[in-house]
């Protein structure tokens, strides 16, 4: 181990092993996770060794190979889909595995299909006798599902639906696993019966032959080509021309087309969006928080190995993590990784409560769940994408090399801001809920406990009198609450004003959209800070860990006030003098947390293989590994044909040496 | 042309052709630029058609091919390196061409070499009889040049320098054109004579044979492997083991080692950094501003073709550019593209003045030039990288496809924040200059005119009384000036305080670094706003253009205040009520500029080939082009071997249709 890195581990103010166990939810789970990771990583089938050198085709092949062998591996290891090990497998594979949309195909059948449909399709799918995809997005429509143009017309005589792509913009575009793998897909289409449109519904459609994988009649499908990342995924396009499917292929847990064309519904139309809601929540941990934790691990370890320039003349060059500017880049991202790990727990709980109710066909909590899953998906993905970007940039040139592992983390997490709902649209959905609740609360109607604070919004002043007061969670949580409530109420007032001055309701909404999105973000930021503070508060028993978590919570909160000063200063809730106290407390925290920075990322417990980074390995042998890995690049395998073709004719008549 | 895009061009408030001519510096230059672009784009040798599908090896080959054929093309067209057409060639090639570091090799010889050295090397290099690189950065050292570890020891007996890479961290790492192409390179190494170190100096070293391109004795070199972008560039590594070069190979315009080992210097040691200063300024236009202009063109054209959701129920779906949130994303980036186009002119002028002085061996303006080139390089690259990111994200999923052209613009401009000096380090260099000037100005000493405002910093209030006042350039320029002066003076005060309380000077500097970097950024932001306002002011003759430029200038300025509210609210210079006026004026400007958004990007005058974007073409045939291009992807060329190997065994025993 590089001595500069080793020395960082001597002085941890807490037990790394205990922190890991706490993050995992107990030492037993840590053991299980490690066993799963070890089983996967020691199997060469799942190696990611040459990943950074592979073409899109090679990465697709590797991803399919891994997905298929995973079935065998699970059988061999005695892991089941319901078992406790299951959730660690994806983390162990570190992402590049096929058939994630196949899982969403299965999930949508389980949620939206009848018992009969589940009994027919799920066993086939779970053994890969069929491979499914989830075809919702079209070339011309993403977030606005009502605008989807694919049609499914019920033919009473044949007892079939006839599916069509009426124009190019209606082509399904983006669905994963569809470009080259899927045999089946859930297609969302506008249902027409006797010429009347009943809105979008999900249909199971076979697209490729199970004998030779050729496209079925009426189907045009393929891969949409290269993307900024996800080289391993065969995101696809799909055109349907008079494709007929039996009546039984419409997913009909909540509604049905009866043989005579009669349409019956038992649940909310909104339940069709429920798959998306679950996906939004479930992606936060693996697709968003884990990448940030990895990026922090890589960047922080590198920053104590890298020495550059001198803090004092005559001394040895300093570790770059000893520069305040480097601390100010990385440590808030580390704090955010923890903050969002905890918000993920919070959302999971919210989801579990709602899911139980939905099982009893009670849809009352859907609006709150939808608003929260939307807003947090937007806020967390945006924050974390920016966090990974900061980590990458903080590693300078070497961060920019694929061998650092950071560009692939970054280009992948970047997509999370776009998929499963564009973030601005999602924030506006949250804003709509907040405005409704604010209106309701203002007139004394009941609102969910998470938003009762909106009613209490009024002018006030932050009571802090010195910089230490800003290390009191009540002080900063209150400030966030005040700011969120102010932004919601002032957006509501602005809306009111516009409407009263004669602007149509929809125009008024659009003219306030920037401020509404800002208010929704402030609400999510507030809940994140509050939840972090409460998590730390609950941690009474483990003093060493509680102390460092308290520092991280303070840092997360004060960084947010420092970086968004305008929101807090605007109405004088925080004064300029108090902002100087915030800045002082914030900057004071940096060297404190810096001391524990390496143990804090060690506690995330990533193996070298899962980081796949020349900069971030546990042993800190950064330069050796960069050199060793670079030599394996295909660009060094042989002399480029460019030499013979283009350079030799120019250079050849010279002496070998000038 | 897509009718939604066509209609946007009917209502331009100004002549697009006149704006283009003004941006080019006259209609004559526009004609010349177009002729160059046409000559290049009509030559299939320079095609970028399959760029998004190519491997790193293929892109390298294409880049070399283009660089070599370019010589012929120039001869054929009568273009010379000193001719007026030259600067349009790179823009026409749209980037992916080899031997840019070869140009920097030549530039460093021209600047740092004696007349004799220039006479020997430049003719060889300009005909590609040799290919050069510029080997400064090492594995262990980037920005901190004094820390470079490569050594060059003078051997008096042999009249040679002996170059060595004493350890792995001293390996040269990153130089472009070095991994596979270069035969020679300028190596920066610590000069030792009779055991005494004289600091870093540039040496010309041959690294590959001119007969068979094999590595020269003592040389280990190769490609550093895949990066986040720049697939076409062979960034390389280089190790030197007792490589001997003649005494004449040290570049000796400003200093020389005489035959007896006597060291003579005529210029400032800092002149060695001058190549970097010129590169920092010269990269702003082609590498930073042009990509932002392209990204705006793509995103804005797409945003009037893309219709999604409804502004009013019952109406047609709306163009996404009609949503306030989309305007708020894109239009400030458009304004920034113009702002930085003008700041580039400003910096070019500054550079030309300084360069003339240096020719006469007067180095007085170097500090100011260094401070400005550093700060603006940092501020402009960071702002513009974020601008391209916003454009990409504003195009949703389709933006994320490589076929949009946006990911390659983004991953490439991203590097500009890292190369040629890490941005934070650069901002701190600017801050050092500002603090010095502030101190000097405070004690009445003369300072350059650009920073005299620092002396005038004092408490005050913004005089604006309604939102229209914030459309007065004096009002907002003053606000920026006040904020910059306040941040510089308060960082200076904080430094003073720390030092007076006993903190060592270097520690104090580090403890203020976050605030110092913020102050430097505020200074550059202020100069950018001021320069934009002055440019608009000078534009008296062309009323239509002046009007829309005034709107863009207002938008750029108010967006900055809106987004960095804390800086302006902090000392009450702008009150909360005034910030509401800023917000109102800012949001009011969006629909005004939105009307001219398409003409404003049309005026950048990019050809479809140079945009190479399925989303951004002049005709707006977005969906058709995405579909057409996707079909060409190698992922659609044949069935993947993954089917036969992994999927068929699972699927094969089934009926073709379920």
């Amino acid at each position: 181990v590089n001595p500069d890195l080793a020395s960082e581990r001597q002085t941890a103010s807490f037990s790394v092993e205990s922190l890991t166990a706490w993050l995992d939810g107990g030492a037993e789970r840590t053991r299980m996770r490690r066993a799963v990771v070890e089983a996967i990583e020691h199997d060469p089938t799942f190696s990611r060794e040459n990943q950074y050198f592979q073409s899109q085709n090679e990465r697709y092949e590797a991803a399919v190979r891994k997905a298929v062998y995973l079935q065998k591996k699970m059988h061999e290891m005695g892991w089941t889909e319901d078992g406790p090990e299951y959730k660690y497998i994806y983390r162990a594979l570190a992402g590049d595995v096929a058939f994630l949309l196949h899982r969403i195909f299965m999930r949508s059948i389980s949620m939206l299909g009848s018992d009969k449909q589940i009994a027919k399709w799920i066993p086939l799918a779970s053994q890969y006798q069929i491979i499914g995809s989830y075809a919702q997005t079209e070339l011309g429509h993403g977030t606005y599902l009502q605008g989807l143009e694919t049609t499914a017309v019920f033919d009473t005589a044949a007892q079939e639906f006839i599916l069509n792509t009426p124009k190019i913009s209606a082509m399904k575009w983006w669905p994963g696993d569809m470009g080259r793998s899927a045999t089946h897909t859930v297609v969302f289409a506008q249902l027409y019966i006797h010429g009347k449109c009943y809105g979008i519904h999900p249909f199971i459609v076979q697209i490729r032959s199970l004998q030779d994988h050729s496209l079925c009649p009426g189907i045009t499908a393929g891969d949409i080509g290269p993307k900024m990342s996800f080289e391993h995924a065969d995101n696809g396009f799909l055109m349907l021309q008079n494709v007929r499917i039996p009546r039984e292929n419409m997913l009909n847990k909540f509604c049905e087309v009866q043989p005579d064309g009669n349409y019956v519904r038992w649940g909310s139309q909104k339940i069709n969006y429920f798959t998306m809601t679950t996906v939004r929540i479930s992606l936060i941990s693996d697709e968003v928080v884990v990448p940030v934790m990895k990026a922090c691990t890589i960047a922080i370890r590198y920053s104590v190995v890298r020495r550059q320039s001198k803090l004092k003349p005559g001394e040895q060059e300093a570790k770059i993590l000893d520069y305040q500017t480097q601390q100010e880049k990385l440590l808030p991202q580390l704090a955010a990784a923890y903050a969002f790990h905890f918000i993920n727990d919070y959302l999971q709980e919210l989801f579990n409560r709602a899911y139980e109710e939905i099982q009893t066909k009670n849809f009352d909590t859907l609006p709150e769940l939808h608003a929260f899953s939307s807003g947090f998906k937007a806020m967390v993905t945006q924050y974390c994408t920016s966090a990974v970007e900061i980590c990458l940039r903080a590693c300078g040139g070497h961060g920019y090399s694929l061998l650092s592992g950071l560009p692939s983390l970054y280009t992948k997490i970047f997509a999370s801001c776009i998929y499963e709902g564009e973030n601005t649209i999602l924030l506006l959905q949250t804003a709509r809920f907040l405005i409704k609740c604010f209106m309701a609360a203002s007139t004394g109607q009941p609102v969910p406990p998470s938003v009762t604070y909106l009613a209490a919004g009024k002018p006030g002043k932050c009571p802090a009198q010195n910089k230490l007061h800003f290390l009191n969670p009540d002080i900063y949580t209150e400030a966030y609450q005040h700011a969120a409530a102010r932004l919601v109420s002032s957006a509501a007032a602005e809306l009111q004003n516009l409407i009263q001055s004669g602007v149509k309701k929809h125009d008024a909404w659009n003219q306030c959209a920037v401020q509404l999105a800002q208010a929704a973000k402030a609400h999510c930021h507030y809940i994140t800070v509050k939840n972090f503070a409460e998590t730390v508060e609950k941690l009474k028993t483990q003093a060493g860990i509680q102390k460092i978590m308290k520092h991280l919570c303070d840092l997360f909160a004060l960084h947010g006030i420092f970086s968004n000063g305008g929101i807090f200063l605007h109405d004088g809730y925080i004064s300029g003098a108090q902002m100087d106290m915030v800045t002082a407390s914030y900057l004071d925290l940096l060297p404190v947390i810096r001391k524990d920075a390496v143990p804090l990322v060690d506690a995330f417990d990533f193996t070298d293989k899962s980081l796949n980074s020349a900069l971030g390995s546990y042993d800190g042998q950064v330069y050796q590994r960069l050199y060793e890995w670079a030599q394996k690049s295909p660009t060094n395998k042989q002399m480029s044909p460019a030499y013979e073709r283009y350079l030799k004719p120019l250079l050849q008549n010279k002496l070998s040496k000038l």
Side-chain angles (χ1 to χ4, degrees), chain A:
Chain A
V1 178
N2 173 295
D4 282 336
L5 183 49
S7 71
E8 299 282 335
R9 294 184 173 124
Q10 311 294 309
T11 52
S13 77
F14 59 89
S15 150
V16 170
E17 194 63 24
S18 302
L19 178 52
T20 299
W22 180 61
L23 288 171
D24 276 324
E28 183 48 46
R29 291 204 201 165
T30 300
R31 269 190 293 279
M32 186 184 293
R33 178 176 54 69
R34 285 180 181 163
V36 171
V37 168
E38 201 184 313
I40 298 270
E41 290 188 351
H42 277 67
D43 185 336
T45 314
F46 300 108
S47 167
R48 293 163 69 217
E49 202 183 332
N50 291 311
Q51 179 179 307
Y52 301 131
F53 305 135
Q54 288 173 332
S55 70
Q56 195 180 359
N57 275 334
E58 288 165 340
R59 293 190 65 175
Y60 167 71
E61 286 158 37
V64 171
R65 185 189 72 222
K66 289 182 198 180
V68 169
Y69 277 131
L70 184 60
Q71 295 288 100
K72 292 189 193 167
K73 187 80 185 179
M74 287 178 65
H75 186 73
E76 194 183 306
M77 300 297 295
W79 302 332
T80 64
E81 303 219 349
D82 311 327
E85 297 90 353
Y86 191 71
K87 68 172 184 165
Y88 302 122
I89 295 174
Y90 185 77
R91 172 163 169 167
L93 289 169
D96 276 15
V97 60
F99 307 149
L100 296 188
L101 268 285
H102 176 70
R103 307 216 71 77
I104 296 186
F105 170 79
M106 288 170 69
R107 198 187 300 183
S108 60
I109 293 174
S110 304
M111 282 187 176
L112 306 176
S114 64
D115 293 345
K116 205 174 147 190
Q117 289 172 323
I118 292 171
K120 173 175 178 182
W121 296 103
I122 296 299
L124 289 169
S126 58
Q127 290 167 47
Y128 291 137
Q129 292 181 347
I130 61 171
I131 294 164
S133 175
Y134 179 85
Q136 178 178 296
T137 299
E138 297 175 355
L139 252 182
H141 285 94
T143 307
Y144 184 62
L145 295 189
Q146 292 171 51
L148 292 178
E149 296 174 291
T150 303
T151 57
V153 176
F154 186 57
D155 176 347
T156 320
Q159 292 289 299
E160 289 177 333
F161 296 104
I162 310 166
L163 279 89
N164 268 295
T165 300
K167 50 185 191 170
I168 189 169
S169 59
M171 195 185 305
K172 295 295 176 186
W173 195 272
W174 277 109
D177 296 334
M178 195 170 79
R180 312 165 85 176
S181 307
T183 61
H184 290 70
T185 182
V186 168
V187 170
F188 280 83
Q190 301 285 356
L191 169 64
Y192 283 87
I193 310 171
H194 303 319
K196 184 180 164 193
C197 182
Y198 287 82
I200 62 155
H201 287 74
F203 303 86
I204 298 178
V205 180
Q206 182 168 351
I207 61 172
R208 285 188 179 89
S209 160
L210 292 171
Q211 282 186 321
D212 62 6
H213 218 57
S214 61
L215 294 171
C216 293
I219 300 291
T220 306
D223 188 278
I224 64 165
K227 298 140 292 186
M228 197 164 148
S229 177
F230 289 88
E231 297 92 338
H232 69 283
D234 58 321
N235 298 89
F237 59 79
L238 171 71
M239 247 190 311
L240 302 144
Q241 283 166 294
N242 292 319
V243 174
R244 288 179 165 268
I245 57 167
R247 189 177 64 89
E248 293 73 26
N249 279 22
M250 185 174 104
L251 292 178
N252 59 7
K253 181 171 188 174
F254 298 103
C255 60
E256 191 181 38
V257 178
Q258 294 175 332
D260 60 355
N262 189 29
Y263 178 86
V264 194
R265 181 201 300 278
W266 302 283
S268 159
Q269 167 78 358
K270 293 203 170 130
I271 196 68
N272 281 328
Y273 305 148
F274 192 62
T275 307
M276 287 199 310
T277 302
T278 71
V279 173
R280 271 175 207 144
I281 291 175
S282 67
L283 69 86
I284 289 180
S285 169
D286 284 337
E287 300 296 342
V288 186
V289 177
V290 165
V292 175
M293 289 175 165
K294 284 185 177 176
C296 287
T297 305
I298 296 167
I300 286 175
R301 287 182 182 163
Y302 174 67
S303 296
V304 298
V305 171
R306 177 78 167 180
R307 289 178 174 272
Q308 197 79 178
S309 199
K310 297 180 182 182
L311 270 167
K312 284 171 208 164
E315 280 193 354
Q316 192 187 6
E317 290 186 56
K319 294 176 175 183
I320 59 175
L321 196 58
D322 287 327
Y323 292 97
Q324 187 189 51
T325 47
Q326 187 76 351
Q327 292 168 10
E328 210 261 330
K329 286 176 193 174
L330 296 181
L331 303 182
Q333 315 319 320
L334 178 63
Y338 279 92
F340 295 128
H341 175 80
F342 303 134
I343 212 67
N344 181 53
D345 294 343
Y346 172 90
L347 291 171
Q348 287 297 342
E349 262 183 56
L350 192 75
F351 175 77
N352 292 341
R353 278 202 309 275
Y355 190 67
E356 274 174 34
E357 288 183 25
I358 288 166
Q359 294 306 302
T360 66
K361 300 205 169 157
N362 169 356
F363 301 107
D364 293 351
T365 51
L366 268 188
E368 188 189 359
L369 184 68
H370 176 68
F372 272 61
S373 69
S374 300
F376 276 103
K377 186 273 184 185
M379 187 262 197
V380 178
T381 56
Q382 190 157 327
Y383 202 115
C384 291
T385 298
S386 146
V388 176
E389 185 196 340
I390 290 168
C391 290
L392 194 165
R393 284 190 6 197
C395 295
H398 295 328
Y400 193 77
S401 163
L402 291 201
L403 307 181
S404 75
L406 291 165
S408 55
L409 287 173
Y410 178 54
T411 52
K412 200 169 176 209
I413 196 175
F414 192 98
S416 71
C417 297
I418 296 166
Y419 63 56
E420 302 304 329
E422 197 277 331
N423 279 352
T424 305
I425 313 282
L426 292 180
L427 286 172
L428 288 174
Q429 309 223 357
T430 308
R432 202 174 283 279
F433 175 79
L434 293 173
I435 294 287
K436 258 189 206 164
C437 291
F438 171 76
M439 299 299 203
S442 310
T443 57
Q445 293 166 55
V447 295
S450 57
V451 289
T452 46
Y453 80 93
L454 292 174
K458 49 179 183 276
K461 299 268 178 212
C462 171
Q465 281 158 5
N466 61 52
K467 68 176 181 177
L468 293 179
H469 288 169
F470 279 104
L471 301 178
N472 177 346
D474 292 340
I475 295 282
Y476 56 69
T477 306
E478 195 82 26
Y480 275 93
Q481 188 191 88
H482 177 86
R486 180 181 66 75
L487 287 168
V488 172
S489 75
S490 78
E494 180 75 11
L495 267 176
Q496 268 333 42
N497 285 345
L498 285 169
I499 292 167
Q500 272 163 18
S501 76
V503 178
K504 296 248 172 69
K505 212 172 157 184
H506 302 92
D507 288 328
W509 182 264
N510 190 30
Q511 287 171 34
C512 294
V514 167
Q515 287 151 293
L516 286 161
Q518 200 181 29
K521 222 186 292 180
H523 166 75
C524 294
H525 207 153
Y526 157 55
I527 300 287
T528 307
V529 168
K530 183 163 169 268
N531 181 63
F532 199 161
E534 286 169 0
T535 304
V536 173
E537 183 66 24
K538 278 185 228 145
L539 195 64
K540 286 249 163 71
T541 48
Q542 299 184 284
I545 292 175
Q546 193 187 34
K547 196 172 166 198
I548 188 71
M549 286 299 123
K550 167 74 167 57
H551 289 322
L552 286 171
C553 181
D554 295 347
L555 187 75
F556 179 77
L558 298 185
H559 170 74
I561 300 177
F562 174 77
S563 312
N564 303 284
I567 290 176
F568 299 91
L569 290 162
H570 186 280
D571 62 347
Y573 183 83
I574 285 185
S575 69
Q578 285 173 319
M579 192 55 79
D580 289 337
M581 298 170 200
V582 168
T583 304
S585 268
Y586 167 57
L587 296 177
D588 285 352
L589 277 166
L590 296 174
V592 175
I593 295 169
R594 183 257 170 271
K595 285 190 201 120
D596 279 321
V598 169
L600 281 167
V601 298
D602 283 353
F604 296 144
D605 202 31
F606 292 112
T607 60
D608 284 356
K609 283 189 181 166
S610 90
L611 293 173
N612 206 10
S613 165
L615 303 190
S617 290
Y618 190 83
D619 66 8
Q621 300 299 336
V622 167
Y623 300 133
Q624 294 84 337
R625 206 169 265 112
L626 269 176
Y627 181 42
E628 198 182 298
W629 290 13
Q631 290 172 80
K632 294 184 198 163
S633 168
T635 50
N636 287 320
K637 292 291 183 217
Q638 56 184 61
M639 195 170 278
S640 166
Y643 171 67
E644 283 289 333
R645 274 186 216 150
Y646 310 116
L647 297 183
K648 203 175 167 188
L650 294 168
L651 304 169
Q652 67 183 343
N653 292 320
K654 304 288 132 199
L655 296 171
S656 76
K657 185 122 180 129
L658 281 179

